[in-house]
Amino acid sequence: MKSVIVPAPGKIEIREVETPVINAYQALVKTEMVALCNATDSKLIAGHFPGVDTYPLALGHENAGIVVAVGEKVRNFKVGDRAIGGLISDFGAQGINSGWGGFSEYVVVNDFEVLKEEGLATPEQGCWDSFEIQNSVPAHVQPEEAVISCTWREVLGAFKDFNLTPGKKVIVVGSGPVGLSFVKLGKLFGLGQIDIVDMLPAKLEVARRMGADNGYTPAEISTPEFIAAAGRSYDAVIDAVGLDVVVNSVLPLVKMGGDVCVYGVMTKNPTFDLSKAPYNFDLHMHQWPTRSEEKAAMTTLAQWIEEGTLSASDFITHRFKIEEIEEAFAAVKRGEVLKCVLTF
């Protein structure tokens, strides 16, 4: 089968590898569609993702496909189900490390609930935390919504970690897929005022169409006039980029006892300027998903999708065949892509 492999930092190729063989607790999924994670996948290719330094690796964690075979102990998948990531293919025997491996023609999902019932859901027994979010989705969730749900459920799953509750006033920095997901999902969830910050006017306009109340540039929110007018009124400030300079830019805006929420993965030791912050605030570093919250979020997402209030068409701007993977990443690097999907 075909799989997207990063043989070394800065390189990418499609390689023929062996199709995974499932065990009694696994199901085999034939991929329908994958989506690029603009930040994580780009960092893995560049060799800058924290904690990953061994190549070659099999790329991709946003994947949707159809179950084509199940192991004898599997109860929570059946042939014909649509399943979504984090999907893992283990190519260790072929000398290929895991960058999750979802950009493959076939991937493996594990029946986490059965593993847990039988006392096998531990790292010592080879169970990753990602197994918990390897789930089938309702039949009305089509491939595009299924694959974009890999982003949506992680974002919605962070709401509890970030103390986001209906009615709160929030400002989000960054209008990529994550920042826009905070806007779109936040409005459906019932957050109050949601403002967004980005350097590009075109992206701010997209955010407004998603439901953002106000759009600002980084220069605008840094003026003494804006800071004075804001009056530390934001219940939460969200860094969807992963840079300490971003956090420092919004520290003057968060209220006393408010929440400073870092969703973007930081690749170095951050430095925060506490002189800009209120005396008391809660700092949340969401560098890895809370899997139970991410799993639970899918129920809500499926409901919004069924109601027609949430659609992948709002997010997908580019479509490619998997053979065009290099073109897809080049488009991401040029800043043209909001969300890109690829088909086998």
Side-chain angles (χ1 to χ4, degrees):
M1 70 171 187
K2 292 183 174 66
S3 183
V4 176
I5 305 297
V6 181
K11 299 180 179 179
I12 190 169
E13 65 185 32
I14 297 176
R15 186 181 297 182
E16 286 289 335
V17 299
E18 294 178 17
T19 301
V21 176
I22 58 173
N23 65 32
Y25 299 92
Q26 295 176 329
L28 186 66
V29 176
K30 180 173 175 56
T31 298
E32 294 177 290
M33 185 175 290
V34 303
L36 301 186
C37 179
N38 296 351
T40 297
D41 291 335
S42 294
K43 289 174 182 176
L44 285 167
I45 291 171
H48 298 155
F49 193 81
V52 178
D53 55 10
T54 306
Y55 291 79
L57 58 80
L59 191 66
H61 59 277
E62 299 186 11
N63 174 301
I66 299 297
V67 175
V68 294
V70 296
E72 61 189 36
K73 294 205 172 187
V74 171
R75 293 201 312 271
N76 295 293
F77 298 99
K78 64 181 185 299
V79 172
D81 281 354
R82 179 165 288 118
I84 60 175
L87 302 169
I88 301 167
S89 291
D90 183 2
F91 304 136
Q94 301 178 61
I96 303 171
N97 299 286
S98 177
W100 291 281
F103 292 174
S104 301
E105 281 189 89
Y106 291 89
V107 296
V108 171
V109 294
N110 296 264
D111 196 332
F112 179 80
E113 297 303 324
V114 173
L115 289 169
K116 186 167 64 173
E117 288 172 12
E118 298 194 8
L120 301 174
T122 66
E124 294 75 16
Q125 290 156 316
C127 182
W128 294 25
D129 70 325
S130 299
F131 289 8
E132 189 168 359
I133 57 163
Q134 296 176 343
N135 308 123
S136 59
V137 297
H140 71 267
V141 179
Q142 295 301 299
E144 291 192 350
E145 276 72 33
V147 77
I148 303 303
S149 288
C150 295
T151 297
W152 289 338
R153 67 182 182 173
E154 188 174 322
V155 170
L156 188 59
F159 276 37
K160 184 176 181 180
D161 289 346
F162 287 169
N163 293 328
L164 298 179
T165 55
K168 282 195 171 183
K169 181 180 178 181
V170 174
I171 189 166
V172 180
V173 184
S175 60
V178 166
L180 292 176
S181 292
F182 271 108
V183 172
K184 183 69 176 182
L185 303 180
K187 283 297 182 181
L188 292 171
F189 177 79
L191 293 181
Q193 181 175 322
I194 306 178
D195 297 339
I196 195 153
V197 181
D198 198 276
M199 295 178 62
L200 301 176
K203 287 192 172 183
L204 294 177
E205 182 55 35
V206 173
R208 290 188 187 95
R209 293 200 299 270
M210 294 275 190
D213 294 282
N214 301 289
Y216 303 107
T217 66
E220 287 174 321
I221 67 165
S222 299
T223 64
E225 294 79 12
F226 184 93
I227 293 170
R232 291 204 179 277
S233 62
Y234 288 95
D235 297 293
V237 297
I238 300 173
D239 167 22
V241 181
L243 294 172
D244 50 6
V245 66
V246 168
V247 175
N248 288 326
S249 72
V250 288
L251 282 178
L253 308 178
V254 68
K255 69 192 305 183
M256 175 71 78
D259 295 292
V260 176
C261 310
V262 180
Y263 185 96
V265 176
M266 291 189 167
T267 57
K268 62 179 181 178
N269 295 324
T271 301
F272 301 132
D273 185 353
L274 297 183
S275 70
K276 297 181 177 182
Y279 197 77
N280 293 337
F281 67 93
D282 291 315
L283 175 64
H284 307 276
M285 300 290 289
H286 192 82
Q287 304 294 274
W288 195 257
T290 302
R291 296 303 190 186
S292 58
E293 294 297 326
E294 187 178 0
K295 178 179 180 178
M298 193 63 225
T299 300
T300 303
L301 293 172
Q303 179 182 338
W304 290 338
I305 292 166
E306 187 172 26
E307 294 170 350
T309 56
L310 183 61
S311 172
S313 61
D314 292 335
F315 287 78
I316 297 172
T317 57
H318 291 67
R319 293 171 173 80
F320 294 92
K321 295 183 183 299
I322 199 67
E323 291 80 8
E324 301 169 315
I325 185 77
E326 291 188 72
E327 296 174 43
F329 274 108
V332 169
K333 191 172 183 178
R334 292 193 299 267
E336 300 170 1
V337 173
L338 175 54
K339 201 67 182 174
C340 170
V341 296
L342 302 97
T343 52
F344 277 87

